[in-house]
Amino acid sequence: MDRKQHWESIYNSRKSSEVSWYQSAPRLSLELLTQAVPNRAACILDVGGGASTLVDGLLAAGYRSVSVLDLSAAALAQARQRLGAEASLVTWLEGDILSLGLPQETFDAWHDRAVFHFLTDPGDRRRYIDQIRRLIRPGAHVLVATFAEDGPTRCSGLEIVRYSSEALHRQFGPDFRLLSSTREDHVTPGGAHQAFQYCLCRYTIQDGRT
């Protein structure tokens, strides 16, 4: 089963509120994004956003240029159904972030909670970061959250890579200036505790533009 089939199977067999990473209100992501990117006209991409409620919070906060990307059409459909008429305010993207073909320097902010840690192959991680460099604008903010060093070793039947704050930032390199790192104790719908590590960076390229 390839990655798309895997995630379609997950979302076709479960409600969004039943998956382990579900948050009724993604408070930490919203807090970090709204503080880092106060301009409500900013273009924000939620990578692997699927059925996440982050888009609900961003719309409620007044953002009007939000894009949600996911491999799973079923996950995106759940989010659109939940939002109702407000779904028309969002750009929905079905595809793989590793090969997504969008115009360069499109986004002012990049959010990823629980995608990067599934990239167990170093080549895939390089492709992911190359996509960030291509798709965000100079000075953009990048917020990535993965399982922490003491978090789970698997998720949804797949191996993951766990990170400390230092190890996660090291994957991105010096062009991404670390602004803050935060741990989160996520409680799953089943009551289990999962440690997440968040890193917020600002993209400062080396050609003098920022």
Side-chain angles (χ1 to χ4, degrees):
M1 183 183 295
D2 66 18
R3 281 188 295 197
K4 178 173 175 57
Q5 289 176 323
H6 177 84
W7 293 112
E8 294 289 14
S9 175
I10 294 289
Y11 281 102
N12 278 314
S13 61
R14 304 182 202 172
K15 297 177 182 178
S16 59
S17 59
E18 296 173 340
V19 296
S20 64
W21 53 92
Y22 172 75
Q23 294 178 303
S24 59
R27 293 182 181 86
L28 183 54
S29 289
L30 280 170
E31 177 184 332
L32 292 170
L33 283 172
T34 54
Q35 288 178 358
V37 191
N39 181 4
R40 268 36 179 184
C43 296
I44 299 174
L45 177 64
D46 187 15
V47 177
S52 165
T53 58
L54 177 63
V55 64
D56 308 52
L58 291 170
L59 292 176
Y63 292 93
R64 287 297 179 266
S65 187
V66 180
S67 299
V68 178
L69 167 72
D70 206 276
L71 273 172
S72 169
L76 296 171
Q78 288 188 30
R80 288 197 298 268
Q81 183 178 26
R82 185 184 67 242
L83 284 169
E86 284 199 316
S88 64
L89 301 174
V90 179
T91 300
W92 304 97
L93 302 168
E94 180 187 342
D96 187 339
I97 189 55
L98 300 184
S99 57
L100 188 67
L102 288 177
Q104 294 185 19
E105 298 188 4
T106 297
F107 300 105
D108 302 297
W110 178 289
H111 174 268
D112 163 8
R113 179 180 179 272
V115 171
F116 190 73
H117 65 204
F118 284 109
L119 303 180
T120 57
D121 180 83
D124 284 344
R125 293 196 290 272
R126 287 192 294 270
R127 289 166 64 196
Y128 178 100
I129 293 165
D130 286 346
Q131 282 284 70
I132 293 182
R133 291 176 177 277
R134 191 177 71 82
L135 293 175
I136 64 175
R137 296 172 179 145
H141 289 82
V142 177
L143 176 59
V144 174
T146 68
F147 283 142
E149 287 182 300
D150 54 341
T153 58
R154 295 176 64 85
C155 181
S156 297
L158 300 176
E159 297 288 339
I160 60 90
V161 181
R162 300 183 294 180
Y163 293 95
S164 65
S165 168
E166 294 79 10
L168 181 55
H169 180 236
R170 191 161 54 244
Q171 292 289 318
F172 291 82
D175 287 353
F176 294 84
R177 181 164 61 88
L178 183 64
L179 301 179
S180 65
S181 60
T182 310
R183 280 175 56 92
E184 178 185 53
D185 178 26
H186 169 63
V187 182
T188 73
H193 289 254
Q194 297 179 338
F196 274 80
Q197 177 66 57
Y198 287 66
C199 280
L200 175 66
C201 299
R202 186 169 182 267
Y203 182 44
T204 56
I205 59 177
Q206 303 298 311
D207 64 359
R209 281 191 284 172
T210 62

